[in-house]
């Protein structure tokens, strides 16, 4: 059992953050092992590019630095906040001191020895940090970047929900609600990750809480020095990326004919509250067009809106829910 110990100062300093690098590593693990947590159809779509990158870059060395239960922290450094970009993550990877990278490589080598001589040579190279950074950058741009806006929108919407829980019901319910098995006892957070007890003091720095689409199942944790302490947990709303039965052609055509295709998509998407910018990223629409459609849907009584911090969030009304559900919702 991993246990983070905290003080009141740690609660004040704890915050949410986003990690493009962690999502990229989750995608690479999924493509390497056929992980069922990948969104439907992604494995088949990305497999050819993944195989090519393994031939052309040091991607096999990156994969060797990730086991089923552990990984090298410098490959996906803990983020700093919600504005984290891939450029920020890549800069952090490239700034890793060679001794830090070497310690993590050696630790993982003891857990899962690397047998492939070519991969071993890459990991033993004095240029290993640069080689890993180059491979990750190619993988980001060719595999994940086209879908990142959708993943980011899901994670941002999750954060809005969690902040609301903190405000309404407090830290304990918010933290234990991140995933099953988490237990908050006063100023101690128990995380079911280790067979033996390990206690990590947050030391007044707080805990980063990072929603992820690709961490499933369970959670992941950062707790080694010199990295910030972080807990990566499954984001809500990931079903939007997964294969699911399409609505019947009659229902889809009826809703689209009634509202127009773009407004129908927006109404269907708002089962979870979201802002204009989040919807634009999630659906690949221009923010101005999204705002215009939201205004019409709200004027029609299908949406309501409320302010959450600096953001204005839209959600379906009961009438909007009934319209999306279709005839099956009638009583």
């Amino acid at each position: 059992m991993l246990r983070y110990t905290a003080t009141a100062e740690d609660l004040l300093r704890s915050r949410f953050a986003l990690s493009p690098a962690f999502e990229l590593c989750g995608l690479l693990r999924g493509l390497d092992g056929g992980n069922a947590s990948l969104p439907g159809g992604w494995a088949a779509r990305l497999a050819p590019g993944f195989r090519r990158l393994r031939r052309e870059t040091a991607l096999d060395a990156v994969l060797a630095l990730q086991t089923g239960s552990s990984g090298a922290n410098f490959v996906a450094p803990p983020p700093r906040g919600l504005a984290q970009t891939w450029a920020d993550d890549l800069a952090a990877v490239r700034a890793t001191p060679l001794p830090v990278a070497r310690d993590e490589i050696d630790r993982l080598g003891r857990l899962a020895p690397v047998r492939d001589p070519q991969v071993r040579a890459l990991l033993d190279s004095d240029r290993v940090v640069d080689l890993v950074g180059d491979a990750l950058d190619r993988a980001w741009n060719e595999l994940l970047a086209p879908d990142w806006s959708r993943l980011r929108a899901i994670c941002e919407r999750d954060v809005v929900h969690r902040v609301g829980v903190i405000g309404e019901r407090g830290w304990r319910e918010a933290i234990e609600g991140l995933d099953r098995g988490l237990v908050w006892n006063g100023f101690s957070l128990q995380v079911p990750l280790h067979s033996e007890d390990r206690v990590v003091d947050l030391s007044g720095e707080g805990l980063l809480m990072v929603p992820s689409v690709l961490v499933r199942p369970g959670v992941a944790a950062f707790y080694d020095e010199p990295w910030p302490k972080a807990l990566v947990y499954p984001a809500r709303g990931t079903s939007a990326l997964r294969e699911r039965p399409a609505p019947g052609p009659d229902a889809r055509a009826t809703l689209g004919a009634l509202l127009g295709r773009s407004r129908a998509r927006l109404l269907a998407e708002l089962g979870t509250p979201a802002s204009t910018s989040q919807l634009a990223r999630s659906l690949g629409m221009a923010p101005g067009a999204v705002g215009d459609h939201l205004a019409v849907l709200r004027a029609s009584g299908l949406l309501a809106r409320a302010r959450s911090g600096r953001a204005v969030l839209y959600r379906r009304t009961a009438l909007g829910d009934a319209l999306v559900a279709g005839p099956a919702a009638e009583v």
Side-chain angles (χ1 to χ4, degrees):
M1 182 74 68
L2 170 66
R3 184 159 60 92
Y4 290 111
T5 59
T7 63
E9 182 72 14
D10 288 304
L11 287 182
L12 291 174
R13 292 181 177 271
S14 293
R15 62 199 185 278
F16 290 91
L18 300 183
S19 176
F22 191 90
E23 295 299 79
L24 175 60
C25 288
L27 176 65
L28 295 176
R29 284 194 300 270
L31 292 171
D32 185 40
N35 192 328
S37 71
L38 287 183
W42 281 31
R45 172 165 60 90
L46 299 177
F50 176 69
R51 290 193 294 266
R52 176 174 49 76
L53 288 172
R54 293 185 70 169
R55 296 192 301 268
E56 296 177 357
T57 72
L59 194 57
D60 279 352
V62 174
L63 295 171
L65 294 175
Q66 302 181 75
T67 70
S69 59
S70 187
N73 293 328
F74 82 92
V75 175
R80 297 294 177 175
L82 290 172
Q84 193 85 0
T85 66
W86 171 245
D88 296 329
D89 281 340
L90 182 61
V93 171
R94 293 193 186 282
T96 305
L98 182 59
V100 172
R102 184 67 61 212
D103 285 346
E104 295 187 357
I105 291 168
D106 291 345
R107 172 179 59 82
L108 285 170
R110 291 190 291 271
L111 294 174
V114 175
R115 308 298 183 188
D116 186 313
Q118 291 183 323
V119 175
R120 186 70 261 171
L122 290 171
L123 294 175
D124 289 340
S125 168
D126 288 343
R127 296 188 58 246
V128 63
V129 173
D130 289 333
L131 293 170
V132 165
D134 291 344
L136 288 171
D137 196 32
R138 285 277 306 274
W140 170 265
N141 286 295
E142 298 184 31
L143 299 179
L144 188 55
D147 294 296
W148 172 240
S149 62
R150 299 168 65 202
L151 271 65
R152 186 181 191 96
I154 289 172
C155 292
E156 288 175 339
R157 291 166 71 172
D158 176 273
V159 170
V160 169
H161 168 77
R162 308 292 179 184
V163 170
V165 172
I166 292 172
E168 292 177 6
R169 299 190 288 276
W171 274 100
R172 177 174 181 175
E173 189 157 341
I175 290 177
E176 291 187 345
L178 298 179
D179 195 58
R180 289 181 297 179
L182 297 177
V183 179
W184 177 254
N185 292 321
F187 288 102
S188 173
L189 174 61
Q190 295 181 5
V191 185
L193 286 179
H194 291 269
S195 57
E196 298 181 2
D197 285 343
R198 177 163 184 169
V199 178
V200 177
D201 190 347
L202 295 181
S203 303
E205 297 177 0
L207 181 68
L208 290 167
M209 293 168 287
V210 184
S212 168
V213 173
L214 299 173
V215 71
R216 295 177 183 272
V219 298
F222 292 87
Y223 46 81
D224 293 318
E225 298 294 342
W227 308 102
K229 310 304 185 292
L231 185 70
V232 186
Y233 65 89
R236 302 167 74 250
T238 58
S239 59
L241 294 173
R242 302 176 189 281
E243 282 187 329
R244 53 187 176 185
D250 292 341
R252 184 173 60 243
T254 299
L255 191 58
L258 179 64
L259 301 175
R261 181 173 179 272
S262 295
R263 289 172 191 164
R265 290 177 66 203
L266 283 167
L267 190 63
E269 184 75 8
L270 281 168
T272 302
S275 68
T276 301
S277 60
Q278 291 166 353
L279 289 166
R281 284 194 292 269
S282 179
L283 297 175
M285 298 170 64
V290 170
D292 291 343
H293 291 314
L294 291 174
V296 173
L297 293 170
R298 181 168 172 263
S300 302
L302 302 177
L303 297 180
R305 69 179 184 182
R307 181 168 291 279
S308 177
R310 296 181 180 179
V312 175
L313 303 181
Y314 292 83
R315 60 174 177 80
R316 287 199 303 254
T317 61
L319 178 60
D321 286 338
L323 188 59
V324 171
E330 295 178 359
V331 294

